[in-house]
Amino acid sequence: MAWYDEAVFYHIYPLGLTGAPKQNDYGEPVHRLNTLIPWIDHLKRLGITALYIGPLFESVGHGYETTDYKKLDSRLGTNEDLKTFVAECHRKDIRVIFDGVFNHTGRDFFAFKDIQKNREGSAYRDWYCNVNFWGNNEYNDGFSYDNWGGYNLLVKLNQRNPAVRDYICDVIRFWVSEFDIDGIRLDAADVLDFDFMKALRGTADSVKPDFWLMGEVIHGDYSRWANAQTLHSVTNYTLHKALYSGHNDHNYFEIAHTVNYTGGMISSNIKLYNFVDNHDVERIYTKLNEKGNFEPVHILLFTLPGIPSIYYGSEFGIEGRKERYSDDSLRPCIDLKEYADAFEKNPCTKLIAALAKIHKEQPDLVNAGYQQLVLMNGHYSFARGSLIIAVNNENKEVTLNVPASAVEYTGLLRGKTVSASGGRLEIQLSPYSGEIFAPGKGEGKLIADAGEMKEEKQEAKIGKSESTQETKPEKQESIQESKLEEPESTQGTKPEVKPESEQEGKSETKPEINQEAQNKTKTASGQGNKTPENKTGTYDSLRDSKSEQKVDLDSVEIPDIPYEEMTVEQLQAVILSKMKKNGPVTDRMRKDVEENIWHNSLVNWANSF
């Protein structure tokens, strides 16, 4: 089995964590990356086995407008610093993957600078998409070009140009030979050319055994990207959305449906990259209406099929709220010394360390299939091989009765042993909690019991918030079970309630983009500031409305207004039209568009082309 299939990831945004200046003056290197060396021991103690870090390379601002792919950002230090950092991670048995920003470059990249200087005579004029010397832009270049997301700061590379393809493949080979990395996370993979990704996969397969390519994909059929020809894995934004909204809405049906839905997309040998927050979305602690649900959310993150990942700082339960024109609060500078006692006193840290330990010691969480056992709005149980997982998202104690194949089970988090009777196991769960049961009688416990956790949660702000919503009544009073000996494909009847995923996706704005230049961008790019009324609401109201309106999206007229002001149907029509320009639209692709009824999600999707 490849190392990444059984990995527990940690994600660092280095410019933020090190407190680097927002703008790069390209001056003398400042060795801020070296301040992250102590974090490696922290990761080791937390149970992390792989690190995704980036962006790292020379850029003018937030890191995604690359100036030089072969030079560590001056604000972080030198290439020698990066070599040392990766080597130290490897010494502690932690794999390292870099952020590969290959869809676009910054305006200071050598090829773009050459076009500015030599115009039509530049040898690099075809390195970018649709360079038009009859046009202009807000920078007064005297030519226009395609960009990412409506931002001319991010110049879109022509990935069908063999010279560009060869250059990026050479970058990958350089990163491996120079820094000995173990993989790459591809930024904006959902808008990368598929032949380009195949070339990257060929390079990845040749540079190092088990070299991992994981792509940032927001929407769609994940198997288009994650397969034997292109990428090994993609970001599971569908599950990300379900994990927080399924707890906020007291609706485990959404999570269970999502697990079945995403599992049906991909082949059984591919594991998706699971997360509850990252550098583009709000912190999970901020998202949760009832803070006690931090525990069941993370139990599911570590036990559902996929590769779990923790975003730096979230193991301490820190806050991070998304702002319209800045992601600074999502990417903070953190002094690790302030959390020196976190493993002893912070229940968030203790929980995640315990879950990482269980993930490492229980191969069923990596190798075994998924079988749904009990599903209600407020509680949910499933099996992974011989393990039984149960979670409760409500502020009340619940009792679950599930099929069992062993006589005794021990809770791996709290050490309590329970006995089965007549092939059934009765599980009692405290409010906002969960447990992972393994066959046999065990000893000890990895985290505090319910009473101790409650006190610690209050101290660390993980108790129920003042804004806690009232518990919603159960939508469906049935229990769905699958016998443990049934084949993996038997997962019970799918629930009637099928909340589709409102993936937040990439940031609406990448931070530190020239605001004056941005304001000059035409509203036709879909970056307007107005948010229409009555475009959001509860899932049920949107679902019911959608079911009544069976609109032929091919006949919907697309108005010349910002995406934010369009209706759901107009946005769906926009996305279909953009898909058609990129190639044939399959029934599955059309269904993905039709079933996405979330306005904000559709706006992000339309902007991603």
Side-chain angles (χ1 to χ4, degrees):
M1 176 175 292
W3 64 266
Y4 44 80
D5 286 328
E6 51 190 354
V8 174
F9 266 89
Y10 195 82
H11 172 197
I12 287 177
Y13 178 81
L15 292 170
L17 180 53
T18 61
K22 300 298 186 338
Q23 294 296 311
N24 190 350
D25 62 7
Y26 301 128
E28 288 296 314
V30 180
H31 304 278
R32 292 185 177 89
L33 187 68
N34 293 340
T35 66
L36 298 188
I37 296 294
W39 283 80
I40 300 173
D41 284 333
H42 170 73
L43 268 57
K44 186 70 176 177
R45 189 176 181 187
L46 196 61
I48 300 300
T49 63
L51 171 65
Y52 149 39
I53 183 169
L56 285 161
F57 293 94
E58 192 82 288
S59 69
V60 68
H62 51 64
Y64 289 96
E65 66 291 68
T66 310
T67 299
D68 188 339
Y69 286 105
K70 297 183 179 182
K71 179 179 182 297
L72 181 67
D73 195 294
S74 304
R75 294 166 290 176
L76 295 175
T78 66
N79 282 10
E80 287 301 316
D81 295 333
L82 187 52
K83 285 182 189 179
T84 300
F85 180 81
V86 175
E88 184 63 15
C89 286
H90 284 166
R91 195 173 72 82
K92 298 292 176 66
D93 297 321
I94 296 173
R95 304 272 186 162
V96 180
I97 70 167
F98 286 176
D99 211 343
V101 188
F102 301 146
N103 178 65
H104 45 264
T105 73
R107 290 169 49 83
D108 289 342
F109 187 67
F110 78 91
F112 189 83
K113 299 294 285 184
D114 192 88
I115 297 174
Q116 287 179 314
K117 179 181 179 180
N118 297 309
R119 293 180 57 81
E120 292 91 340
S122 173
Y124 302 100
R125 57 174 295 177
D126 294 327
W127 274 45
Y128 295 98
C129 293
N130 295 322
V131 176
N132 177 14
F133 293 104
W134 293 94
N136 204 355
N137 56 38
E138 67 270 31
Y139 296 99
N140 200 30
D141 287 320
F143 58 90
S144 60
Y145 48 84
D146 285 356
N147 59 41
W148 182 92
Y151 302 110
N152 277 327
L153 187 66
L154 307 172
V155 195
K156 185 171 177 59
L157 282 167
N158 178 10
Q159 298 148 31
R160 301 201 71 83
N161 184 333
V164 171
R165 195 174 304 175
D166 291 345
Y167 177 84
I168 295 300
C169 288
D170 181 63
V171 166
I172 294 175
R173 286 187 285 267
F174 175 81
W175 286 357
V176 174
S177 64
E178 189 78 358
F179 307 112
D180 193 29
I181 62 169
D182 304 290
I184 295 173
R185 174 262 194 190
L186 295 177
D187 182 65
D190 46 8
V191 294
L192 292 178
D193 178 79
F194 282 91
D195 287 336
F196 177 72
M197 283 187 285
K198 289 177 182 178
L200 300 187
R201 177 64 177 266
T203 301
D205 290 344
S206 69
V207 292
K208 198 176 190 180
D210 291 337
F211 192 84
W212 193 53
L213 287 183
M214 184 269 289
E216 179 193 32
V217 172
I218 313 300
H219 309 274
D221 182 349
Y222 291 150
S223 66
R224 295 181 63 210
W225 294 272
N227 55 61
Q229 288 74 45
T230 49
L231 311 180
H232 298 91
S233 182
V234 295
T235 50
N236 193 354
Y237 267 95
T238 309
L239 182 63
H240 155 257
K241 186 269 171 183
L243 283 173
Y244 73 80
S245 65
H247 285 84
N248 285 346
D249 296 340
H250 298 285
N251 182 10
Y252 275 140
F253 286 98
E254 178 179 6
I255 296 176
H257 165 69
T258 298
V259 173
N260 289 327
Y261 175 67
T262 55
M265 284 185 191
I266 57 175
S267 65
S268 59
N269 64 327
I270 287 178
K271 293 178 171 56
L272 298 175
Y273 180 86
N274 295 341
F275 60 97
V276 293
D277 48 16
N278 63 26
H279 64 308
D280 285 326
V281 301
E282 287 187 334
R283 294 277 177 173
I284 186 62
Y285 190 84
T286 298
K287 272 190 196 305
L288 291 173
N289 294 337
E290 299 170 39
K291 306 307 180 185
N293 275 327
F294 187 94
E295 178 175 318
V297 161
H298 283 86
I299 290 175
L300 292 181
L301 174 66
F302 277 85
T303 59
L304 286 172
I307 302 168
S309 178
I310 298 296
Y311 182 47
Y312 82 93
S314 285
E315 72 271 28
F316 306 131
I318 68 172
E319 299 263 6
R321 192 169 301 280
K322 194 169 180 61
E323 301 168 3
R324 184 166 180 80
Y325 293 116
S326 173
D327 285 333
D328 289 351
S329 65
L330 308 179
R331 308 167 178 183
C333 178
I334 297 177
D335 185 352
L336 188 59
K337 294 177 182 177
E338 295 181 4
Y339 297 92
D341 60 355
F343 288 95
E344 291 75 32
K345 296 185 178 180
N346 188 315
C348 296
T349 313
K350 290 195 287 185
L351 172 68
I352 290 172
L355 290 169
K357 184 175 188 293
I358 292 170
H359 192 276
K360 179 179 180 180
E361 294 177 349
Q362 299 295 327
D364 278 351
L365 293 177
V366 175
N367 304 320
Y370 161 88
Q371 293 176 299
Q372 183 176 294
L373 302 179
V374 173
L375 179 60
M376 304 286 279
N377 287 329
H379 49 273
Y380 170 37
S381 179
F382 55 92
R384 297 291 309 279
S386 64
L387 303 177
I388 295 175
I389 296 93
V391 286
N392 174 24
N393 67 34
E394 295 184 317
N395 188 24
K396 64 181 181 182
E397 186 173 294
V398 298
T399 300
L400 292 72
N401 190 280
V402 303
S405 59
V407 176
E408 283 188 317
Y409 287 84
T410 298
L412 298 179
L413 285 172
R414 295 184 172 87
K416 182 178 180 181
T417 298
V418 291
S419 298
S421 176
R424 311 288 299 184
L425 184 68
E426 187 173 279
I427 300 171
Q428 291 183 331
L429 294 178
S430 302
Y432 309 126
S433 73
E435 185 57 280
I436 303 165
F437 291 95
K441 188 171 184 178
E443 297 179 358
K445 57 187 179 181
L446 293 177
I447 63 172
D449 62 28
E452 292 170 340
M453 283 291 288
K454 183 177 180 181
E455 294 177 3
E456 289 175 344
K457 283 177 180 177
Q458 290 174 348
E459 180 180 341
K461 298 184 180 180
I462 304 185
K464 185 177 178 182
S465 66
E466 295 181 2
S467 61
T468 297
Q469 300 174 348
E470 294 183 3
T471 301
K472 295 182 180 179
E474 301 286 354
K475 291 182 183 176
Q476 188 169 331
E477 293 295 332
S478 64
I479 295 179
Q480 300 179 349
E481 299 181 354
S482 297
K483 293 182 180 179
L484 290 178
E485 64 270 15
E486 287 184 352
E488 181 179 343
S489 60
T490 306
Q491 298 178 353
T493 306
K494 288 187 179 180
E496 296 261 338
V497 181
K498 295 183 178 181
E500 297 302 326
S501 298
E502 181 193 2
Q503 300 107 323
E504 291 186 31
K506 291 185 76 72
S507 296
E508 185 175 325
T509 62
K510 292 196 176 187
E512 306 309 319
I513 288 175
N514 185 307
Q515 194 62 51
E516 181 179 353
Q518 177 184 320
N519 292 337
K520 295 178 182 178
T521 305
K522 294 180 180 179
T523 57
S525 67
Q527 300 297 329
N529 293 330
K530 292 177 65 178
T531 301
E533 296 180 359
N534 302 322
K535 293 296 191 302
T536 59
T538 64
Y539 168 76
D540 290 331
S541 64
L542 286 171
R543 176 174 55 87
D544 294 342
S545 171
K546 181 68 179 172
S547 63
E548 294 172 3
Q549 305 172 9
K550 300 201 174 179
V551 179
D552 179 8
L553 296 179
D554 293 309
S555 65
V556 173
E557 183 177 348
I558 301 174
D560 186 16
I561 58 176
Y563 294 149
E564 288 82 358
E565 298 180 15
M566 290 185 182
T567 66
V568 166
E569 287 76 17
Q570 289 167 343
L571 285 166
Q572 290 171 329
V574 166
I575 293 165
L576 274 180
S577 68
K578 289 177 178 287
M579 283 180 166
K580 289 175 182 177
K581 291 179 181 179
N582 290 340
V585 177
T586 66
D587 290 342
R588 176 71 261 177
M589 293 164 66
R590 179 180 288 273
K591 194 169 187 295
D592 284 338
V593 176
E594 291 173 344
E595 290 183 346
N596 190 334
I597 57 175
W598 301 96
H599 190 267
N600 290 340
S601 174
L602 290 167
V603 169
N604 284 336
W605 196 349
N607 280 328
S608 71
F609 286 91

